[in-house]
Structure formats: C-alpha cells, structure tokens
Amino acid sequence: MNENPADLAPELCALAAAVAGLVAGMFLPRTRQWPVAVVCSAGLVAGLAFAGVAASGPDLMAFDAFSVDPITHVTRITVLGSTLAVVLLAAGPVRDHPRESEHHVLILLSALGTIMLGASSDLLVLVAAYLLASIPAYALAGFGKDAPGTEAALKYYLMGALLGVLMLGGVTLLSGVGRGTAYAVLRTGLADAPPAAVAAGVVALLAGLLFKAGAVPGHYWVPDVAEGAPPAVAAYVTTVPKIGAFAALYRFCAETSPDGRHALLAVIAAATMTLGNLAAFGQDNVRRLLAYSTVSQAGYLLVPVAMAGRTGLAQPALLYFVAAYAVTNLGAFAVVVAAGRDDLAGYAGLLRASPSLGLSLIVCLLGFVGTPPTAVFVGKVLMFGAALDGDSAWLAVVAAVNTVASVFYYLRWVVPLFRRPSAPPRPAPGATAVTTVVATAVAAAAALLSLVLGIAGGAALA
Amino acid sequence: MTFLPGWPGGLAVDGLSAVLLVTLGAVLAAVLVFAAGEGYGARFFGLTLLFAAAMAVTVTATDLVLLLMGWEVMGAMSYALIGHDWWDARRVGSAGVAFLTTRAADMGLYAAAGFAVAGAHSLRLDDLAAAGAPWRDLIAAGVVVSALGKSAQLPFSFWLSRAMDGPSPVSALLHSATMVAAGAYLLLRVHPLLAATGWAATLVTWAGAVTALVLGAVALAQRDLKQLLAASTCAQIGFMVLGAGAGALGGGTAQLVAHAAVKSLLFLCAGVWLGELGTKRLDALQGAARRHRTVGAAFGVGALALAGVPPLSLWVTKDEVLAGAVGSPALLAVGLAASVLSAAYAAKALLAAFRPGGGGGAFRVPLAQRAPLVPLACAAAALGALGLPPVADAWRRLLGVPDESGPGPWMVALSGVLAVVTVGAVMAVRRIPEPAWALRWLWSEDVASAMVVRPAFAMARALARFDDRVVDGAVRGVARGGQAIAGLAGRRVEFRLDGLVAAVGRAARGLGALARRPQTGQVHLYYAQAAVVLAVLVVVAVLAG
C-alpha cells in the first residue's frame, strides 16, 4: 500500500496554509490581519506548483483512497487557481473585517475538501470530503451577517443537510450491497447486487454530489446563495465546489460501473440545463441570472459525465469544460464584484465607463454561450462530440437547443453595455478603489485566460 | 517618340509635312489676324488653335494611331467652330451634319488601323503598302473612304455646303490649310499604298476628276458667294485627289499650297463683305469690289488665280496635276473640262463683285482685316513660280519625288488659253449658264438623309421600342413578379413564420415563468420537491437497469 504523504503535497500545502493562517489570525491584531491573505495565497501558489509537478508524474493511488490521475490533476489545478482568484477577490471586501483570517481559512478548507471530493475513490473518504467542502461554505455564505446572507446560509445548510444525509444513506446502502466502500471493490460487488437497491443507493449518493454541483434536484440553494451571500463568496460557491463535484461524479460513474450511469445522468443533465436556462430568462438581478446560468452550465457538464465509460471523449470533454467553466464563471463574478451592482440596468454604458471591465464581461458572457474563440466553446465542442460519440444524439440536440435559448439572456446583459448610461454613474455601494482594481484585474485575467485556452484548445482540436 | 510601346511610330517632319506645316502656319496667322479684327472671343481663338494643332499632328504623324488622334480632334474642333454661334439652331445643325458626315467616313480609318495591325503588323504609314494580299486592299479602302469624307469629295461633298454656316475666318481656315486639305494630304501621303493595290489609285483618280467636274458645275450654279466658293473648294480639292491618285505628287502638293493661299484669301474677302454689307448673295454684292480698293484688288487676284489665268498660281499647279493624267485621254478631257468650269465660276464671282452699279460709297475696313489680304494675294499670284522648271525640280526633290515629269508646254499653253477665253467670254456675255440640277448640290444631302439618316433613325426608334417593350419589359416583369411573390410571401408565409416566432417567444416566456415556480423560497417546499425528484430518479435508475 502506498502511504507516501508527498503524493498529497498540494493538499498538504493548502492545509498548512489554512492552519498557519488560523494560528496567525490568533496572534495578529484584529485590524491588521492582511498577512493571513498573503499566507493563504502563498499556500495556494505553492500547492499549484506542486500540482503542476505532480501532473507530469505517473498515475498512482495513495492510501488506497486517493487517486492521483488526470482527473485529480485538473481538479487540483483548477480548484487551487480558482481559490486563489477568490482570495484575491475577497481580500478587498473583507479587509479590516474582524474575522478576516477566518474568511480566508474557511475558503482554503472548503477548497481542500473540494479537491478531496474529486480525488477520492472510496465512499467513506467521499463523505468526509463532502462535509469538509460543505460546512465551511455554509459559514462563508452567512459571513456578511446580514438578512439575505443569513437566509442564504440557512437555506444552503438545510439543503446540504438533507441531501448530505441522503448521501450518507446511499453510502451505507451501497457499501452494504456492494460489500465494500472502495470503488474498485464496488465495481465487482455492485454487479451482483440487487438492481433496485443499487439504483436507490446510487440516487441517494448522487443527491449529495448533485447538491455540490448545483444540479437538479440539488440546485435550489444556488440562486438564493448567489444573490444573498457576499459577491466573492457567491463566486466561490458557484465555481469551486462544482469542480470537485463533477470530478467525483465522473469518477464514481466511470469506476464503479462498466458503462456508467448513462440514462440516469442523461435525464438529470437534460432537466438541469433546461431548467437553468428557462429560469434565467426573466432575471433582472445579475447574480440570480449568473446563478441560473451556472445551473444550466452544470447541465452541460453532466453530459460528459453521462457519457462516462461510453466514449473516450467523455473525460477530456469534462476536464476541459470544467476548467473553462471555472475561468469564465470567475470572470463574470469578478465583473460583478468590480462593478458593485446587481441590477441589470446598472450595467448600461459600462463599456464606455470602464472598457477593460466591459470587454471582460462580454468575453465571459459570449464564452458562456460557447462563442469561438473562448474556452467554453472548445469545451462545448468536446461535449457535443462526446454526446454524439456516446450514441446520445437526443442529448446533443437538447444541449444545442438550450445553447440557442441561452443566447437570449446572456445578450440581455451584453446589450446594455453598449448603451449610453441613462444617469451619470453613481459610485457603487460598498466598493473600495482597491477592490475595484483587483476585481477588474481578475476579470481581465479570466477573460484573457478564456481566450488563450480557447485559441490554444481550438488549435489543439484542429 | 513612340506612342504605343512595341508599335514604332510617332511624329516626324519630312518634305511633305514641312510644306503643309508652313502652309498651315501662314494661313493660320492670316486668319487669326483677320479674326482679331472682327473681335472674336477667347473661345474662338482657343478652338482655332486647337484645330490647327490637330492638323499639325495629323500631317506630322508617322503612324495611324497619332494620325487618328489628330484627325479626330480636328473633326471635333470643326464641329465646335462651325457651331461657334451656338444660339442659332441652324448653325448647330450644320455643325452636326458636318461632324457626323466626316465622322461616318472616319470609320474607314479606324477599320484601316485595325486591318493594319492584323495584316501589316505595323501601324506606320510607310509600312502599309507592304501588307498582305487581302489586308492591303482593305486598308486602302478604309483610308480612301475616310480621306474622301474629310476632303468633301463625292459623295460626301454636301457637308462642306453646310459648313458655310460657320464664321468666315473658320471657312477660310477649314477650306484651305486644314480639314479638307487633310484628306488630300492623307491620299498624297499613302500614294504608295494606293499604287500597290492598283484599283485604289484609279478609283481615287476618277473620284477626284469627277468631283472636280461635277462640283465645278455645282459652283457655277450657286447664287451665294460662300456656297460658290465652297463648291469650288470641292472641285479644286478634286484636282489634288486626282494628282494623288495619278501619281502627280509634286503637282498635287503644289495645288494644295496654292489653293490654300487663294481660297483663304477669297473667304477672307467674302468675310469682309459679309461684315460690311451684311450679305453674301451674289446679286446683292454687285459692285462690292469697287467700294474698297484693297479688298477688291485682293479678291480680283484671288478670283483670277482660281480661274487659272496665267501667270497666276493655280494655272500652273493645275497643269502640273494634269501632267499626271496625260496617259489617259478620258481623264485628261475631264480634267480640262473641269478647268474650264473653274474658270467659268471664278469669272461669275468676279463679274458679280466688279459689275458696276449697286450704289453705296466706299467703306472702311480695319487694318487687321486688310493686312492679311495683301500677303495672301501676293502668294496667290506668285506661287505659280512653283511651275518654273528649276523651282519645280527643287520642289520635287523636297517632296522626295525627283522623277516626276512636269506638264508639256502645249498643255500649259492650252489650259492658259482656255482659262483666258472662258473668263473673257463670261465677261463679254455677262450671262452664265446655271444648271438648275446643281443648285442644291445635287440634292446629295437629301439623298444621304433619305438613304442613311432616316433609316438609321427608324432603326433606332425600332430598337428603342424593342428595348422598352422587350428588354425593359422583361426587367419590369421580373420586378413585378418579385413584388407579387414578395407580397404573397409577406401575407402568407411571413405571417405564419412571424406567428411561429412569436409563439416560440411566448412559449419560452411561459416556460421561463414556469421554471421559476419551484423556486418558492420556502425550504420545506424545496425538501418536498427534492424528495419527489429523487424518487422519480430512483424509478428512472431502476427502469434503466
């Protein structure tokens, strides 16, 4: 059995940074806790470096429960990079907050849980990772201690509690009928188990993962949290946990069953993308609009998961799409943080007022649609390819129709950018100069990265 | 200077060109001085200079392209100058007739240029005679047609009659050293080509001879001084054309130069009288020559020279031309008859101008109008020297035809006697036969109008109708059809498509509202919905196996 802790170096970096941040927070004055953000960022950067090194190494299994393979590599790099961006986004708003160090540490711990979620190949570790990823996020959602934040945190927690309990039940059921908790064991054990029990157990297990992924039926929290939580936290909970959740979903489906859970996940994918797109139509609050957009993107992301085991395109499609999604979603939320406004009308004339911010938003929104040469375009191409290759043309058609429909609400946000502002721009409430500058930089970087990934990926595809 | 890369040619001055350039310059100077006396504006002088420059290009061009350029600009300027008084519709119409007639004949030169490219692979004038068998004849035909048109030979003569509507200085220039002279020049220039084909030289010879004879008769019939002079121009140019065809190049050129002096002189005199007396009708000009000594004397010298009275210029140059026709008795007879006619019409003009009576005192003529008359009269009188044997030999060497023979003494004597007798007879009887058939220039304009102009207009109208009804009709029909189809599409298809799109939009809106219904904001409802969905998913999972 491989028990080399060095195989978990990126995770250990994040953990060490979290612990160091916690300790430092205890000794630093309440109003001068910015070194915690530096410590956390440094830990994330170090983790990224180790993850990059590990990505060139061979596939292996650590502690019998932690897979180090391409899925884990992409999960690590995407989660650590996204978390770094969120820490930067949050650094301004929580500056001089009495609980600044806790904020950063909670983010790091949740990210750590997310990586574990995507890397674990054992049901028990999966449950532990689920709890580690979720519980700090509940606290973060209510961090503002205001009424919407508290309501969001409570709804988030209650949905997570129910679906987490169901997940625990599913794990119990599966380990009972499958005579084990490791995926390799379950692969043989579930084949002989009673199908109804397996079906119930799988659905119960998926309930928790779908909650983390923000897909039907675990999506109810997404709009409320995205609207109610602080913007940086909203960016975090709609981006990072999803990465781990999709990795976990894909790993579970691919490793415990010879042909995946095709029908079940295809139905969930179709329902999720359709519901997210339809519900986004009438939104005038950009954070709710982005929330439903993330629900619909979760639907697209479930397509390659549904194709697990049916086509070789499924894994590259999922990994590319999830990274592209993270970059694009962070870019869009960074614009919201920088603009400091939630109403759609407040974005009129943004392109004139702040060209870099407006252009970044346009790139991100067109990226969500899947316009070349953005990263999501490549991800969507791979996703359609996987659907067609996996003999699910109907799913590709549903995804295509949904993509066309999504143009409507993304353009509803793009069009006002070109208008003249109806009133002279008011200073955004609660946005300091530093926050705006940092968030603009993050948005521009995300937009650029989206273009780079799109062009490079397009070139690689071609 | 080459104008087209790869096609040698350009401008060059040789003996013939030099003679014509000097003639052109002298006549142009005289005409400009005269016109300055009449007080024309800048437009007149500009157009005149352009006209003369085009003539200069024409006579110095060594290839067909430059020749055509000068030729065309000259034609256009003749139109502008004849129609100088543009407010008079009749004059503008005359300008149009002159332009279109010469222009129609010019097509021959274009065709000749094309044939030269095809057949001789050269546009140089001196290469044309070396063209291949069918091409050489075609080139010759094209050149002959355009030259006859430009020099107002039969059957194109009528345009010169209409050209008389232009100002007198224009007539003086157009009838002497430019325009009509250009046709004669071209024929003289391409004589090797005409001779090489055989038939073309004969054709040109007879065209010139017949024109000299018939237009002589026409001149005799005229009752208007300018019309008389115009017809006489045709007839005199006919001698040059005859010379060009018969190979009397020295004689033809001498005739051209002498005629330029004589005719410009006569037209300027006519211009003086027209300006002072307001008429150009012969019967109204009775005694006009006696009312101003200088003008009268100049006119007398010019008219006597025109008549071919010895020792004045045209007497001897005409004989030089006829020296080329001695080989053919018929041609010689026609030529001599034409000489007699020229003596007769010149005498008619003389008689009209010098006949006593008519009343009216002397009138004053501005110096600018008087001055050019004297040198022109001297030239008209003295250019006969070109016929003196030593001068004639030098002249022929200058023109590059040293082998041509001059007229025999008997012929010179015969023509001189004929001219003197004719003039004397006319003066004695004071009655001249006026062939009525020749008064309207043989109705050649009417014939051309009936045979060419009206059919062309009829065809144009027919084609216009075809264009309106068939071509345009088809286009309109297509447009109407398109409109009808568009209307159909708009009413039937578009309506439904629009409805469909609106329905899709309504449905999407409705579904969007429906999709937000589960988002009640109440957690117990979320729980219930999640539980139901999960139960459904279990069913799906079980059914899917």
Side-chain angles (χ1 to χ4, degrees):
Chain A
M1 194 169 90
N2 175 18
E3 292 186 346
N4 182 5
D7 292 332
L8 302 181
E11 289 75 25
L12 291 176
C13 282
L15 182 61
V19 172
L22 210 53
V23 172
M26 289 167 69
F27 293 100
L28 287 168
R30 278 280 178 212
T31 53
R32 287 179 54 81
Q33 296 197 328
W34 57 267
V36 176
V38 176
V39 168
C40 290
S41 302
L44 289 169
V45 171
L48 271 173
F50 279 114
V53 172
S56 56
D59 291 358
L60 48 87
M61 176 75 82
F63 300 98
D64 273 349
F66 194 94
S67 298
V68 180
D69 58 5
I71 302 174
T72 303
H73 296 319
V74 172
T75 308
R76 275 173 174 171
I77 292 173
T78 315
V79 167
L80 291 173
S82 304
T83 307
L84 183 60
V86 170
V87 168
L88 290 176
L89 279 181
V94 298
R95 183 83 188 272
D96 300 339
H97 191 280
R99 303 192 186 282
E100 183 180 355
S101 62
E102 284 89 333
H103 190 271
H104 297 311
V105 169
L106 285 174
I107 287 179
L108 248 67
L109 290 174
S110 176
L112 183 61
T114 302
I115 299 177
M116 300 300 293
L117 201 60
S120 71
S121 53
D122 188 295
L123 289 179
L124 294 180
V125 179
L126 188 71
V127 169
Y130 171 85
L131 292 175
L132 181 54
S134 299
I135 291 170
Y138 303 149
L140 283 169
F143 205 80
K145 285 189 180 174
D146 49 354
T150 311
E151 185 187 338
L154 193 61
K155 285 178 178 171
Y156 194 17
Y157 168 70
L158 287 173
M159 283 308 294
L162 171 70
L163 296 172
V165 167
L166 280 175
M167 184 186 179
L168 273 173
V171 167
T172 310
L173 191 53
L174 287 177
S175 65
V177 299
R179 291 186 292 279
T181 53
Y183 288 179
V185 176
L186 287 174
R187 190 180 178 94
T188 51
L190 289 182
D192 309 329
V198 173
V202 166
V203 169
L205 173 66
L206 289 188
L209 294 178
L210 291 174
F211 161 75
K212 290 265 74 171
V216 173
H219 70 282
Y220 292 103
W221 61 272
V222 178
D224 293 331
V225 174
E227 189 184 3
V233 173
Y236 178 81
V237 296
T238 55
T239 309
V240 178
K242 279 174 190 265
I243 304 165
F246 284 110
L249 279 167
Y250 183 83
R251 191 185 292 284
F252 176 76
C253 293
E255 293 184 3
T256 63
S257 161
D259 65 338
R261 309 285 170 189
H262 169 66
L264 182 63
L265 282 162
V267 168
I268 296 172
T272 302
M273 66 177 81
T274 308
L275 183 84
N277 274 327
L278 289 177
F281 275 178
Q283 299 301 336
D284 287 324
N285 181 306
V286 294
R287 278 157 72 180
R288 276 188 96 80
L289 192 150
L290 275 178
Y292 282 114
S293 140
T294 68
V295 173
S296 72
Q297 298 288 333
Y300 303 135
L301 279 161
L302 280 172
V303 171
V305 174
M307 297 304 139
R310 291 168 74 92
T311 166
L313 264 178
Q315 184 170 319
L318 176 80
L319 296 182
Y320 205 97
F321 202 157
V322 86
Y325 163 77
V327 168
T328 310
N329 202 45
L330 275 177
F333 268 104
V335 173
V336 175
V337 172
R341 313 183 61 103
D342 291 348
D343 53 328
L344 209 49
Y347 285 81
L350 182 67
L351 198 61
R352 189 180 294 260
S354 172
S356 59
L357 207 56
L359 277 177
S360 304
L361 183 58
I362 289 170
V363 168
C364 289
L365 292 180
L366 292 182
F368 276 137
V369 179
T371 313
T374 56
V376 174
F377 163 70
V378 180
K380 272 198 176 170
V381 168
L382 289 168
M383 180 267 282
F384 282 120
L388 295 174
D389 211 28
D391 297 327
S392 300
W394 69 272
L395 197 53
V397 169
V398 171
V401 170
N402 269 295
T403 300
V404 171
S406 71
V407 174
F408 169 70
Y409 62 84
Y410 289 125
L411 286 187
R412 269 191 74 209
W413 195 359
V414 171
V415 170
L417 302 180
F418 294 96
R419 290 208 190 108
R420 274 171 193 288
S422 48
R426 288 171 290 146
T432 63
V434 178
T435 308
T436 307
V437 170
V438 172
T440 305
V442 170
L448 273 179
L449 188 58
S450 168
L451 290 175
V452 168
L453 280 178
I455 292 166
L461 274 186
Chain B
M1 176 190 118
T2 53
F3 189 76
L4 290 176
W7 293 91
L11 299 178
V13 178
D14 61 358
L16 183 55
S17 298
V19 168
L20 276 151
L21 282 178
V22 171
T23 310
L24 174 66
V27 174
L28 179 66
V31 166
L32 288 180
V33 170
F34 183 88
E38 285 203 11
Y40 285 97
R43 182 164 62 93
F44 173 86
F45 289 105
L47 293 172
T48 306
L49 288 173
L50 215 50
F51 189 45
M55 179 66 182
V57 170
T58 302
V59 298
T60 50
T62 61
D63 65 318
L64 276 173
V65 173
L66 275 172
L67 181 88
L68 256 175
M69 287 182 176
W71 195 267
E72 283 292 345
V73 173
M74 183 156 55
M77 289 308 112
S78 76
Y79 168 80
L81 285 169
I82 294 168
H84 180 265
D85 300 337
W86 46 266
W87 48 86
D88 187 339
R90 154 98 190 159
R91 294 176 194 220
V92 175
S94 298
V97 168
F99 181 64
L100 287 177
T101 309
T102 54
R103 197 69 227 290
D106 287 350
M107 290 303 146
L109 204 53
Y110 280 99
F115 294 138
V117 170
H121 305 294
S122 165
L123 286 164
R124 287 182 60 83
L125 294 172
D126 40 13
D127 288 342
L128 297 182
W135 301 114
R136 191 173 58 191
D137 299 302
L138 290 169
I139 298 169
V143 169
V144 166
V145 167
S146 66
L148 292 184
K150 205 69 154 183
S151 56
Q153 299 300 287
L154 284 176
F156 303 105
S157 307
F158 58 90
W159 75 260
L160 205 52
S161 162
R162 294 297 298 267
M164 285 307 101
D165 288 332
S168 292
V170 172
S171 300
L173 195 58
L174 188 142
H175 282 252
S176 56
T178 61
M179 200 72 184
V180 291
Y185 158 78
L186 182 62
L187 290 174
L188 290 168
R189 171 66 77 190
V190 300
H191 174 75
L193 171 69
L194 306 180
T197 59
W199 60 267
T202 316
L203 174 73
V204 167
T205 309
W206 277 100
V210 170
T211 305
L213 184 65
V214 173
L215 270 295
V218 169
L220 200 57
Q222 298 307 311
R223 293 163 188 162
D224 177 299
L225 180 57
K226 283 186 79 171
Q227 288 293 330
L228 185 151
L229 292 175
S232 88
T233 301
C234 290
Q236 296 294 330
I237 299 284
F239 283 109
M240 300 170 209
V241 172
L242 193 163
L249 300 190
T253 312
Q255 167 83 1
L256 198 161
V257 174
H259 174 256
V262 169
K263 201 45 71 67
S264 53
L265 171 66
L266 290 176
F267 269 112
L268 292 184
C269 292
V272 171
W273 290 334
L274 179 60
E276 299 295 339
L277 309 178
T279 181
K280 46 190 181 162
R281 284 182 41 230
L282 283 173
D283 48 2
L285 283 173
Q286 196 174 16
R290 297 172 184 272
R291 292 166 62 181
H292 191 287
R293 194 168 300 161
T294 315
V295 177
F299 185 81
V301 171
L304 285 174
L306 187 63
V309 170
L312 303 177
S313 57
L314 284 178
W315 161 62
V316 69
T317 58
K318 205 180 295 169
D319 291 339
E320 294 255 355
V321 170
L322 290 178
V326 285
S328 162
L331 197 59
L332 192 59
V334 172
L336 286 174
S339 302
V340 171
L341 279 178
S342 63
Y345 58 67
K348 178 175 177 179
L350 267 179
L351 189 62
F354 283 94
R355 178 182 289 181
F363 51 82
R364 291 190 56 79
V365 176
L367 177 66
Q369 294 199 353
R370 253 182 300 148
L373 300 181
V374 179
L376 284 177
C378 293
L383 278 173
L386 291 175
L388 294 175
V391 181
D393 286 341
W395 178 254
R396 291 193 189 108
R397 275 201 303 281
L398 173 67
L399 295 177
V401 285
D403 303 332
E404 273 182 19
S405 54
W410 60 271
M411 200 163 93
V412 177
L414 175 65
S415 75
V417 168
L418 279 175
V420 171
V421 167
T422 308
V423 172
V426 169
M427 289 298 171
V429 300
R430 303 200 164 197
R431 266 191 57 83
I432 303 104
E434 292 181 354
W437 49 270
L439 181 60
R440 294 283 314 277
W441 289 63
L442 313 176
W443 295 280
S444 52
E445 189 182 343
D446 303 302
V447 171
S449 169
M451 288 182 62
V452 179
V453 178
R454 279 191 212 135
F457 271 112
M459 193 183 231
R461 273 193 294 273
L463 285 174
R465 268 201 299 280
F466 176 79
D467 184 55
D468 284 347
R469 304 238 171 106
V470 180
V471 180
D472 195 40
V475 173
R476 280 163 197 271
V478 168
R480 268 200 301 277
Q483 231 162 4
I485 292 171
L488 205 65
R491 277 198 303 280
R492 301 271 164 81
V493 184
E494 172 80 9
F495 180 70
R496 306 230 168 117
L497 275 182
D498 203 38
L500 192 66
V501 171
V504 167
R506 269 198 306 279
R509 214 179 290 269
L511 285 174
L514 203 63
R516 288 197 303 278
R517 291 286 289 280
Q519 203 73 27
T520 54
Q522 293 171 313
V523 178
H524 66 278
L525 288 177
Y526 291 177
Y527 273 26
Q529 291 175 35
V532 169
V533 172
L534 287 172
V536 170
L537 286 177
V538 170
V539 173
V540 169
V542 170
L543 288 181

